[in-house]
């Protein structure tokens, strides 16, 4: 693989996960599958941008206002891509008993009670943890990178729900190519190394990994229980859950 090819895959991943206008010449499903390995790196990029924003904002504004603005900037940057998945999962899983009916609710563009409550809870946790930590820049970088690593790693671990054709958000792939898995976990390892150098002990890093892996297993079982597999909405919801989990763990382990 040439450097030019790898850059093209990263650009494709960046265009898929953000609203940044990037021209893609030769899109294909196979290339998107391979580009999924760069999703965690895109998360690191997003985290760095948001970290820079909050650093500059808090020079002139209270931290509480800065955090609200950074959350809004994050939504504008990604288009609420993952938050939409979480809201759909909450509405679908909470609003029906039959798997097919759950999928139908998930495709509905209207926001229901369960989705509203999930988003309110999500943003409340994000706000409280980011305001409370004195390591906000590191928290943003780690959370956006690690959350996308674990969410993407769910691909292929359980059946792809073919009825996802009725969903608003399509899954990235039915399996992760080995090259994509290598890029994904390499980014995760680099982030762990950065956290270690930043001051998180090896024992706490192990606890972070074990916690994330346990939550990943629970999410996979949860998706299987409700719809016998996963959809693109499931991956978006997983990313948001892992993101707030990392905020909590950074608050717990670094303060």
């Amino acid at each position: 693989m040439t450097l030019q090819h790898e850059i093209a895959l990263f650009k494709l991943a960046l265009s898929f996960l953000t609203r940044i206008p990037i021209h893609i010449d030769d899109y294909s499903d196979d290339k998107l599958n391979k580009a999924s390995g760069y999703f965690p790196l895109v998360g690191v990029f997003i985290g760095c941008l948001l970290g820079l924003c909050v650093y500059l904002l808090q020079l002139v504004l209270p931290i509480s206002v800065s955090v609200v603005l950074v959350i809004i900037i994050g939504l504008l940057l990604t288009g609420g891509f993952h938050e939409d998945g979480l809201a759909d999962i909450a509405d679908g899983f909470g609003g029906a008993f039959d798997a097919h009916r759950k999928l139908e609710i998930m495709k509905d563009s209207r926001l229901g009670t369960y989705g509203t409550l999930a988003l309110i809870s999500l943003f409340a946790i994000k706000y409280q943890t980011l305001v409370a930590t004195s390591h906000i820049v590191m928290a943003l970088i780690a959370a956006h990178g690690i959350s996308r690593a674990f969410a993407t790693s769910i691909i292929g671990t359980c059946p792809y729900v073919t009825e996802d054709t009725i969903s608003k958000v399509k899954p990235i792939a039915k399996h992760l190519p080995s090259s994509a898995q290598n890029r994904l976990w390499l980014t995760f390892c680099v982030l762990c190394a950065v956290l270690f150098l930043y001051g998180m002990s090896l024992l706490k890093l192990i606890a972070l990994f074990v916690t994330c892996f346990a939550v990943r297993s629970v999410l996979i079982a949860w998706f299987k229980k409700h719809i016998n597999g996963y959809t693109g909405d499931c991956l978006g919801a997983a990313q948001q859950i892992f993101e707030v989990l990392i905020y909590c763990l950074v608050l717990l382990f670094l303060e």
Side-chain angles (χ1 to χ4, degrees), residues 10-22 39-54 68-84 123 126 140-141 144-145 148 239-240 243 247:
F10 176 75
K11 287 172 60 180
L12 181 56
L14 189 62
S15 69
F16 187 79
L17 292 182
T18 72
R19 292 295 181 91
I20 298 174
I22 298 175
F39 286 175
L41 188 58
V42 172
V44 172
F45 175 75
I46 293 171
C48 288
L49 286 180
L50 297 181
L52 176 62
C53 288
V54 77
V68 171
L69 291 176
V70 162
I71 290 175
I72 293 172
I73 292 170
L75 290 172
L76 293 174
L77 186 60
T78 63
F81 188 55
H82 304 297
E83 289 83 356
D84 178 70
F123 291 128
K126 284 186 179 183
L140 286 165
I141 296 171
H144 280 277
R148 284 168 176 81
Q239 187 278 324
Q240 287 295 291
E243 184 180 330
Y247 291 147

Side-chain angles (χ1 to χ4, degrees), residues 65-149:
V65 178
S66 300
V67 167
V68 171
L69 291 176
V70 162
I71 290 175
I72 293 172
I73 292 170
L75 290 172
L76 293 174
L77 186 60
T78 63
F81 188 55
H82 304 297
E83 289 83 356
D84 178 70
L86 178 67
D88 286 342
I89 287 294
D91 281 334
F93 288 10
F97 293 100
D98 177 73
H100 180 72
R101 177 56 183 155
K102 291 176 183 180
L103 290 167
E104 287 182 336
I105 293 174
M106 287 161 60
K107 76 163 185 176
D108 196 326
S109 60
R110 292 172 296 181
L111 182 62
T113 301
Y114 293 108
T116 301
L117 293 173
L119 290 177
I120 291 173
S121 301
L122 174 80
F123 291 128
I125 297 173
K126 284 186 179 183
Y127 173 80
Q128 291 292 348
T129 51
L130 289 174
V131 167
T133 183
S134 58
H135 308 281
I136 186 169
V137 174
M138 179 53 64
L140 286 165
I141 296 171
H144 280 277
I146 294 175
S147 65
R148 284 168 176 81

Side-chain angles (χ1 to χ4, degrees), residues 125 129 139 242-254:
I125 297 173
T129 51
F242 281 116
E243 184 180 330
V244 296
L245 175 64
I246 297 301
Y247 291 147
C248 292
L249 292 176
V250 166
L251 184 62
L252 180 64
F253 292 159
L254 283 180

